[in-house]
Amino acid sequence: MKTAILISGRGSNMRALVEAAKAPGFPAEIVLVLANRADAAGLEFAREAGLATAVVPRRDHEDDASFEAAIQAELEKAGTELVCLAGFMRILSASFVETWRDRLINIHPSLLPAFRGLRTHERALAAGVRLAGATVHYVRAEMDDGPVIIQGAVPVLAGDDAKTLAQRVLAMEHRIYPQALAWVAGRKARVVGEKVILEGAGEDKNAFLINPPSLPKS
Ligand code: GRF
């Protein structure tokens, strides 16, 4: 499945997806890495990896609609069938989200629906939760909302600060996002009644999506 990745910065999740997609038989092909900032560090990795890249800054456009139309044009030019948001720091309109319904996924650094929005690790620490983690989900018009594809939990340890917790969560993000992409691009994930059904998952009675010691094969 022809897949575009949208980034705004470091791009470490994009990198994890690009590396995963190199495996023989992986069901997604990365056809575009698009950033809304020319200085997004991840662009350099993408260029060096020989991937098609595009930069679409919001400030080059009069309004959100023309900004999104420019993104849409780049996606179409690349033949995109699936879009992965990976640290893309712009809210996309309801109409854009609807255009890509069930073909647009995002990673968020919390166990949704807890801690939508920004500064998730600070807020998790302030709330005193014992488990933190990350979620890959289909995108809906509400921010950080939509059917959950996979979640990975990590412990909150004594002495954690936002930085150490973020590092632990990020390592989990890099495990679960490639798995989610494999499921979605491999057409093993389906949205039914705003919940995700995974083909074959019903045979496994273990709660393998939660804090997996190792992830199941796609
Ligand atoms: C990640 O924590 C992701 O969950 C969030 O933004 C961060 C992006 O990091 N949406 P990176 O650019 O993938 O390194």
Side-chain angles (χ1 to χ4, degrees):
M1 195 175 282
K2 292 186 177 192
T3 301
I5 308 174
L6 272 51
I7 64 169
S8 295
R10 178 177 57 181
S12 69
N13 278 289
M14 176 270 296
R15 192 175 177 142
L17 297 179
V18 169
E19 299 290 352
K22 286 184 187 159
F26 194 86
E29 178 200 354
I30 310 305
V31 294
L32 176 68
V33 174
L34 182 150
N36 65 318
R37 302 173 56 110
D39 63 354
L43 281 173
E44 200 177 316
F45 168 83
R47 286 189 195 113
E48 276 168 18
L51 297 167
T53 59
V55 178
V56 182
R58 170 64 181 84
R59 65 166 175 273
D60 288 1
H61 298 275
E62 205 166 289
D63 51 25
D64 287 346
S66 59
F67 168 64
E68 287 186 353
I71 293 175
Q72 180 69 20
E74 292 290 349
L75 294 175
E76 283 173 14
K77 197 168 84 187
T80 308
E81 298 169 284
L82 174 68
V83 180
C84 295
L85 305 180
F88 187 68
M89 299 303 285
R90 302 278 325 183
I91 307 246
L92 294 162
S93 72
S95 109
F96 184 93
V97 168
E98 200 46 46
T99 300
W100 288 95
R101 190 178 180 87
D102 296 347
R103 299 181 301 145
L104 174 62
I105 65 178
N106 179 48
I107 187 154
H108 181 73
S110 78
L111 294 171
L112 290 173
F115 309 121
R116 293 186 164 117
L118 297 174
R119 298 179 49 255
T120 53
H121 308 302
E122 286 90 335
R123 288 158 58 213
L125 289 169
V129 295
R130 294 292 183 210
L131 285 173
T135 303
V136 182
H137 63 97
Y138 287 98
V139 175
R140 295 293 182 257
E142 294 296 310
M143 187 182 59
D144 299 326
D145 183 39
V148 170
I149 302 163
I150 188 168
Q151 296 187 297
V154 300
V156 178
L157 300 179
D160 264 344
D161 56 25
K163 199 170 160 208
T164 58
L165 182 56
Q167 279 167 352
R168 196 173 309 119
V169 171
L170 191 65
M172 179 57 83
E173 293 182 40
H174 297 162
R175 292 173 62 197
I176 65 172
Y177 211 173
Q179 178 64 73
L181 176 57
W183 281 334
V184 173
R187 297 192 161 83
K188 296 195 170 177
R190 273 185 306 133
V191 183
V192 179
E194 287 303 86
K195 292 203 176 61
V196 175
I197 310 280
L198 294 173
E199 192 184 297
E203 294 150 25
D204 186 344
K205 297 283 184 278
N206 297 322
F208 64 74
L209 301 186
I210 296 170
N211 206 18
S214 64
L215 289 165
K217 286 210 164 59
S218 58

